[in-house]
Amino acid sequence: MRLLLTGTSGWLGRFLAPRLRAGGHMVIGLDVAPGAETRIIGSVADRAVVERAFAEHAVEAVIHAGALHKPDIVRYPTQAFIDVNVTGTLNLLRAAAEAGHDRFVFTSTTSVMITDAIRAETGDAAAWLDESTGPLAPRNIYGVTKLAAEGLCRIYARDHGLACIVLRTARFFPEEDDTVRDLTGENMKANEFLNRRLTVEDAAEAHVMALGRAPAIGSGTYVISAPTPFSPSDARALRADAAAVVARYFPDAPELYTARGWRLPARIGRVYDGRLAERDLGFRARTDFACVLEAMRSGAPLPFAHDPSYGSAPWPSDRAIKTR
Ligand SMILES: NC(=O)c1ccc[n+]([C@@H]2O[C@H](COP(=O)([O-])OP(=O)(O)OC[C@H]3O[C@@H](n4cnc5c(N)ncnc54)[C@H](O)[C@@H]3O)[C@@H](O)[C@H]2O)c1
């Protein structure tokens, strides 16, 4: 298919574009910043840019991964999030519906499920988060605008028959977490494969699966994360002493961690459950916590990217976006 892929200069886009091409698709990359995979430099918030992209490239389907995301909160005003994440998604949905497309894939985020209370991890059990989680009350403008965009996908599926798959994707960024500082970056990422992370390659694969299954599904929202080894019956123990639970599932984990000077998580306050995506999309992340331990055991490189220096591509139009 001739695919319009937004966000091609970003972290996910640079993995997803070649993966789609390998699957036989023609990829037309659109991003506000330049990049090796980006053919059209422009903003999704600009309706004329989107309409021109459709007219000039005979687009047959859209994967909308471009966005302002969490690290951008400190860099851009609230209005920019509305423009890019909400209006930008609307522009793409409208163009796709008018062109009579039969599928649309939207990259959302597990952040839409994270309330202040879940973030504070004050409960006496880990929150078990899947597609039935609600009511949703995201705690920042990133989550709020992603949730609004999800809503737009839902009504375009209902009112225009445009099959829309929303992927509530867990974290796959390579940089350091901007809030947690007491663990090394690699230690923290390794821990997150237990409950809230996947590799960027797996995130890309989920989009490929969603694109293929969308027409048959019609409309669906899926949590995308590496399979957790835990079950809901572990929720209390994870909150009280997560390291002991991990040791129960993986008896050599404490020793492997100690050898690296790493720490297992003391407490886990949330678990993302991606089983629905496995059932409906046929997507199961290849890299999970067991793969991380296997690499530690064998001395192989860790099976995930870690790059403290990574930052989103600089925007040539930074000032224009800030003042819009
Ligand atoms: N990185 C993560 O851990 C993570 C987790 C969950 C969801 N997501 C979502 O995955 C998607 C990709 O994230 P990423 O990590 O590759 O981020 P990224 O910042 O590396 O890439 C996002 C890209 O979108 C582009 N973009 C921003 N505004 C745009 C606009 N107005 N028009 C066109 N392009 C625009 C940026 O220039 C950038 O290249 C985003 O939708 C993000 O919300 C990311």
Side-chain angles (χ1 to χ4, degrees), residues 138-202:
R139 63 190 182 85
N140 57 33
I141 189 63
Y142 171 54
V144 165
T145 51
K146 283 288 191 177
L147 185 57
E150 285 192 6
L152 291 172
C153 290
R154 190 166 35 76
I155 60 175
Y156 263 77
R158 187 194 63 195
D159 298 345
H160 301 272
L162 173 61
C164 290
I165 302 297
V166 170
L167 301 178
R168 280 188 191 156
T169 312
R171 40 178 58 185
F172 53 82
F173 58 77
E175 67 266 35
E176 302 283 356
D177 187 280
D178 57 356
T179 52
V180 181
R181 292 271 172 251
D182 61 336
L183 290 179
T184 65
E186 287 185 325
N187 185 166
M188 184 165 166
K189 286 188 174 70
N191 289 1
E192 288 171 345
F193 274 88
L194 286 162
N195 62 315
R196 58 174 302 195
R197 177 173 275 277
L198 75 171
T199 64
V200 65
E201 292 88 351
D202 280 330

Side-chain angles (χ1 to χ4, degrees), residues 206-228:
H207 287 71
V208 175
M209 300 302 287
L211 185 77
R213 296 281 173 98
I217 293 171
S219 172
T221 298
Y222 298 96
V223 171
I224 302 295
S225 193
T228 180

Side-chain angles (χ1 to χ4, degrees), residues 32-108:
V32 77
E37 298 290 351
T38 297
R39 174 117 65 115
I40 304 167
I41 296 183
S43 173
V44 292
D46 185 339
R47 194 170 164 182
V49 166
V50 171
E51 286 177 353
R52 207 174 318 122
F54 271 64
E56 291 178 1
H57 297 278
V59 173
E60 293 173 300
V62 175
I63 300 181
H64 180 29
L68 288 186
H69 71 142
K70 163 106 183 319
D72 294 313
I73 292 176
V74 293
R75 300 197 279 158
Y76 297 99
T78 301
Q79 185 64 53
F81 277 80
I82 307 277
D83 293 345
V84 175
N85 293 357
V86 185
T87 305
T89 304
L90 176 61
N91 288 338
L92 290 161
L93 285 165
R94 187 191 284 125
E98 282 172 8
H101 287 186
D102 69 349
R103 67 196 75 188
F104 188 101
V105 177
F106 173 59
T107 317
S108 188

Side-chain angles (χ1 to χ4, degrees), residues 274-285:
R275 280 177 297 179
L276 191 65
E278 195 170 336
R279 194 194 74 187
D280 287 7
L281 303 179
F283 167 73
R284 182 178 170 90

